Amino acid sequence: MRADRLVSLVLLLRQRGRLTADTLARELEVSTRTVLRDIEALSAAGVPVYAERGRYGGFALSPGFRTELTGLNHDEALALLTAGSGRGEQTFGLGSALASAMRKVVDALPEGHRATASDAVQRFLVDPETDLLSRRQATEEAPDTTTMVEVRRAVLAGHKLRIHYAATGQAPQWRTVDPIGLVTVRDRGYLLATRSGADRTYRLSRLLAAEKLPEPAQRPNRIDLDRIWQERSARFLSDGDHISVRVRVNPARREELLDTALAVRAEEPAPDAEGWLRLEVTFQDPRHAEWALWQLGTDAEALTPQSLRTALRNRAEAMATRYRDSS
């Protein structure tokens, strides 16, 4: 862990020049005292780092110092930097590791490519916090770092995992599971596991604590995580009171519809005669479907089921009666 931090410290100074101890501490997520100890260790190891005194002082490397690394071309580095510019790195608690990796990617470029790649990645924005209508994207708080470290260790090592989990509407409980893998979808993280042989899917945001156990997990050595996720998604959509709705929607309101739906089952490739889109979407239950379609007003029309059309018509009639001019 300390070796990685020392490398990151050197790369920060290489790429940004003179930095204060406070700035380095924030970047490396350690205390200022730890930074000072690391600086002393680097100096003792022969790295030419020196302190500049005064109001604008800080730590810097001797001009020209670098460890020449090659192997990445411009487009490869740009792809990695762009992928790392989104918000998904927080889902599995890897934000600090990603920041360190990005510094190494930049430093791995030849001198002539480094500046152009750093500039080019500023032209790409991945998953901003709001869309064009200033609506904030739905995000979930990831578990604390200690919890996620334990989860990742159990998943990668193939050991059983003990988790303190707060299921919806229930008091938090401890349970022991056999972890299979981790999945992130739209900044929501999930732990795929089995418990007593039965498939289980846990929302990472509801994990309160976790502990990797010494016992090996009961799971196959090789898996197709994408296939497993698709199968569990299909089962989720077919369970409980979920309702499938065929709907016409004004193209300008399509994204609002999708934001409220659980899933899109089908979408016709071309608009209808009036330019509207036709989709089949799934909602949590009939009340959820009625609420979601009501939010879109006259920019959406439920085609099926008839029970939903009736519920929306009754609501519209009640609203019209309430606001009917009594004069």
Side-chain angles (χ1 to χ4, degrees):
M1 181 67 74
R2 191 189 185 198
D4 288 340
R5 190 175 68 245
L6 292 175
V7 171
S8 292
L9 194 157
V10 171
L11 294 179
L12 281 169
L13 296 177
R14 277 279 309 127
Q15 294 160 22
R16 300 192 193 178
R18 183 175 59 247
L19 295 173
T20 66
D22 287 342
T23 299
L24 289 167
R26 285 196 303 272
E27 290 287 342
L28 299 173
E29 299 182 354
V30 296
S31 67
T32 302
R33 180 174 295 182
T34 297
V35 168
L36 296 177
R37 286 200 300 265
D38 288 348
I39 293 290
E40 292 180 0
L42 289 172
S43 296
V47 177
V49 57
Y50 64 94
E52 293 186 355
R53 307 296 179 183
R55 181 179 179 183
Y56 301 105
F59 295 99
L61 294 170
S62 296
F65 174 80
R66 71 174 275 103
T67 301
E68 187 68 42
L69 300 174
T70 58
L72 287 176
N73 63 35
H74 177 271
D75 286 345
E76 290 170 340
L78 181 59
L80 289 173
L81 290 169
T82 302
S85 65
R87 294 175 290 112
E89 72 272 11
Q90 301 300 333
T91 303
F92 296 146
L94 292 170
S96 298
L98 180 62
S100 174
M102 292 301 102
R103 288 191 288 268
K104 294 176 183 178
V105 169
V106 171
D107 203 70
L109 289 172
E111 186 70 33
H113 287 167
R114 194 179 314 120
T116 54
S118 296
D119 178 70
V121 77
Q122 297 178 36
R123 312 293 176 176
F124 300 158
L125 178 61
V126 180
D127 286 337
E129 291 188 0
T130 62
D131 61 17
L132 281 175
L133 299 178
S134 297
R135 296 172 302 186
R136 296 189 66 85
Q137 302 298 314
T139 59
E140 293 188 345
E141 291 294 327
D144 61 73
T145 302
T146 301
T147 298
M148 276 312 308
V149 167
E150 290 295 296
V151 172
R152 292 199 309 268
R153 288 175 59 202
V155 168
L156 297 177
H159 284 204
K160 289 184 178 294
L161 180 67
R162 188 167 177 259
I163 59 175
H164 195 210
Y165 189 73
T168 302
Q170 300 180 22
Q173 295 181 1
W174 284 96
R175 58 199 75 188
T176 299
V177 302
D178 296 300
I180 295 175
L182 293 166
V183 176
T184 177
V185 182
R186 295 181 181 177
D187 290 335
R188 291 182 178 180
Y190 300 88
L191 168 67
L192 273 57
T194 60
R195 185 181 176 205
S196 300
D199 290 344
R200 294 289 186 267
T201 302
Y202 300 101
R203 188 84 66 83
L204 291 182
S205 61
R206 296 174 182 162
L207 283 180
L208 305 180
E211 176 188 4
K212 181 178 77 72
L213 301 178
E215 298 88 351
Q218 300 299 312
R219 66 179 193 180
N221 292 328
R222 299 183 63 85
I223 61 167
D224 183 343
L225 200 59
D226 185 62
R227 178 185 58 79
I228 293 173
W229 177 254
Q230 294 296 333
E231 291 175 350
R232 294 197 180 187
S233 296
R235 285 202 301 271
F236 173 78
L237 293 175
S238 63
D239 288 345
D241 297 326
H242 295 168
I243 180 174
S244 180
V245 176
R246 290 185 62 247
V247 60
R248 295 174 66 241
V249 63
N250 184 325
R253 308 294 296 276
R254 176 182 180 275
E255 294 305 315
E256 290 180 66
L257 172 67
L258 299 190
D259 283 346
T260 58
L262 290 179
V264 179
R265 288 181 174 270
E267 181 172 359
E268 295 186 8
D272 62 18
E274 297 181 19
W276 282 28
L277 304 174
R278 291 175 179 250
L279 304 90
E280 182 178 354
V281 295
T282 299
F283 292 103
Q284 185 72 41
D285 52 39
R287 291 183 61 187
H288 178 206
E290 181 182 341
W291 172 86
L293 271 294
W294 184 257
Q295 307 310 304
L296 299 176
T298 57
D299 283 330
E301 178 188 0
L303 302 176
T304 62
Q306 183 60 44
S307 58
L308 177 58
R309 289 178 59 88
T310 300
L312 288 168
R313 184 184 67 243
N314 292 342
R315 177 182 282 214
E317 290 174 348
M319 185 68 73
T321 298
R322 175 65 58 87
Y323 287 99
R324 183 173 295 129
D325 187 356
S326 58
S327 60

